[in-house]
Amino acid sequence: MNPRPKLRSPPLPSPPSPKSLTPNLNNKMPPRKLTLKPTTLTLATTLFSILALYAFLNNFIFPNPPNNSTTRNSLFGFRDKNTQNFPPVKVYMYDLPRKFTYGVIVSYALARGGEKQSDDSLLKYPGNQHSAEWYLFSDLNRPSRERVDSAFTRVLDPEEADLFYVPFFSSLSLVANPIRPGTVVAPGDRPVYSDEEMQESLIEWLEQQEYWKRNNGWDHVFICQDPNALYKVVDRVKNGVLLVSDFGRLARNQASLVKDVILPYSHRINTYTGDIGVENRNSLLFFMGNRYRKEGGKIRDLLFQLLEKEEDVIIKHGAQSRESRREARKGMHTSKFCLHPAGDTPSACRLFDAIVSLCVPVIISDYIELPFEDVIDYKKIAVFVDSNTAVKPGFLVKKLRKVRMERILEFQRELKKVKHYFEYEDPNGTVKEIWRQVSLKLPLVKLMINRDKRLVKRELTEPDCSCLCSNQSGILTTL
């Protein structure tokens, strides 16, 4: 197994010395007369002439200049979500052996006492928070005419492709067998499923493909939404574009905001269909989830201790079940704020449950990365509090109780505007936005392909990654 860092916290910059910040009050400068030299007058005259000429041309010769944002985007290669000036990116989806797609669904069902099914049209992907792999696979299997204004179009000839999508159901594969191989004797017709063997088999198959070898995998796209998906082989696919939920268990030289795409989890409770308002939201703050988590999630137990006796706060320990989801739906639909503390990893589906519930998320997760931040300003839809401040006795509820009703309504209005980005079944929702985000990576993919051809291989003591170190902010709270 590849070692992964638990947290990716960059070092803080050194503060400036007090001496550099203190003005020298002893050296008093005498006042000087303001004089204009001839060169200054000449420069001013020239500048005025240029501005006058620009005004004349702008108003009389070229009264309708082209749209600045469109021109800028075309110059720098950005794909604006509101314009269709760029042709769709051409993607080729590999026709993987069945065991990597529908076969994973069959294995999942067999491990839980289901019957073997050979008709793929009758198979149903098990509902869970990592369903993005199913939605993307299904979308590319639809006729192209049904993907209106999509940034992607599927091509059947790999020679035409800009990118190559590898549709392995890696997250479902990870949990397909609820019992670890080697710990139980399976019936003769039901072999024990091994995710590790499946990962190795995928790479063996992929490394035989001409288009994988051609560009060293830079133009390939993999989905590994579960934080542990593809854990055994991630070092061998890290050149590709990775579709992930966060970077909690990925090393610095495996993933970055520059190269990869952050996905939202599938929300697990029903979308709130009512209008904005606080009349039916009697609880101040709601949370329901596992109290005891590892690593960064240890903050949950501290928050339980601080909040469980507050009268207008509902905080419950609960695992995934239908009954828990019913309780969570009721709680989120009737609360003003919904708590999102870190778990084993920085992100979880609970955040997206809150968004579609119009319950203002209170995010206490110092290393979280969020999806689609080029189109969503999360400070307009969520409250951020750093972990050290959040566990100060009385701080959190005191701050939340001071939030005016009009401010809560502003949060809800913004949530309602953006919640379609978190609806996987909306034709203009999550899937469409994921493809747009992936299409933005194409210039970088081409750059890395060309760069890779001329680089001299080196042995370095530190990982050679051209990435953005994520989350270097020092924001304590956004309230």
Side-chain angles (χ1 to χ4, degrees), residues 260-476:
D260 306 309
V261 176
I262 300 292
L263 305 187
Y265 287 109
S266 303
H267 62 82
R268 302 291 288 131
I269 67 172
N270 295 336
T271 300
Y272 181 73
T273 56
D275 205 350
I276 64 171
V278 296
E279 296 81 7
N280 298 319
R281 295 181 181 268
N282 300 317
S283 301
L284 175 71
L285 182 65
F286 177 83
F287 173 81
M288 186 172 184
N290 198 322
R291 176 172 182 165
Y292 305 102
R293 308 305 284 176
K294 298 174 288 184
E295 301 171 5
K298 292 178 181 178
I299 191 175
R300 289 192 182 186
D301 185 42
L302 297 175
L303 290 169
F304 264 84
Q305 295 175 41
L306 289 171
L307 299 173
E308 58 188 351
K309 294 182 181 179
E310 297 288 343
E311 62 180 22
D312 52 353
V313 173
I314 300 174
I315 184 165
K316 295 181 179 181
H317 173 77
Q320 286 284 351
S321 69
R322 288 185 179 180
E323 182 56 35
S324 293
R325 286 199 294 274
R326 278 194 289 268
E327 282 195 62
R329 178 188 59 79
K330 181 180 177 182
M332 289 187 170
H333 289 189
T334 58
S335 298
K336 300 176 184 72
F337 297 94
C338 285
L339 189 63
H340 177 73
D344 291 343
T345 56
S347 187
C349 68
R350 189 171 296 102
L351 169 61
F352 308 105
D353 288 339
I355 290 173
V356 300
S357 298
L358 303 189
C359 183
V360 183
V362 179
I363 299 175
I364 307 173
S365 183
D366 296 342
Y367 301 95
I368 195 169
E369 296 295 349
L370 297 165
F372 315 151
E373 284 203 80
D374 61 332
V375 291
I376 299 174
D377 182 354
Y378 281 86
K379 287 177 68 176
K380 292 182 178 180
I381 66 171
V383 175
F384 293 83
V385 185
D386 76 289
S387 298
N388 291 332
T389 305
V391 296
K392 292 179 179 179
F395 174 85
L396 195 57
V397 289
K398 184 178 178 180
K399 280 287 185 182
L400 295 179
R401 285 172 184 151
K402 285 184 176 179
V403 180
R404 296 175 293 105
M405 182 181 71
E406 182 53 41
R407 183 73 179 98
I408 296 173
L409 295 178
E410 287 177 17
F411 277 124
Q412 290 180 350
R413 276 190 284 269
E414 293 297 326
L415 285 167
K416 197 165 186 177
K417 288 179 186 176
V418 302
K419 71 175 184 176
H420 70 278
Y421 285 112
F422 308 101
E423 298 284 5
Y424 274 91
E425 294 185 357
D426 186 335
N428 291 307
T430 315
V431 171
K432 185 175 181 178
E433 182 58 24
I434 290 172
W435 291 139
R436 190 187 72 85
Q437 295 285 334
V438 175
S439 75
L440 296 175
K441 306 299 179 182
L442 185 58
L444 178 66
V445 168
K446 291 181 177 180
L447 181 152
M448 295 307 292
I449 288 172
N450 292 333
R451 181 175 179 266
D452 207 33
K453 292 174 183 175
R454 57 88 178 165
L455 277 182
V456 177
K457 301 298 180 184
R458 299 166 292 171
E459 292 295 331
L460 300 176
T461 56
E462 294 292 329
D464 181 20
C465 56
S466 301
C467 66
L468 285 178
C469 295
S470 59
N471 207 335
Q472 300 183 53
S473 65
I475 296 175
L476 297 180

Side-chain angles (χ1 to χ4, degrees), residues 156-188:
L156 301 180
D157 182 357
E159 284 294 327
E160 299 177 7
D162 298 308
L163 297 172
F164 296 79
Y165 183 61
V166 183
F168 174 44
F169 293 167
S170 59
S171 294
L172 187 62
S173 177
L174 186 71
V175 298
N177 183 16
I179 305 171
R180 291 186 178 276
T183 61
V184 67
V185 178

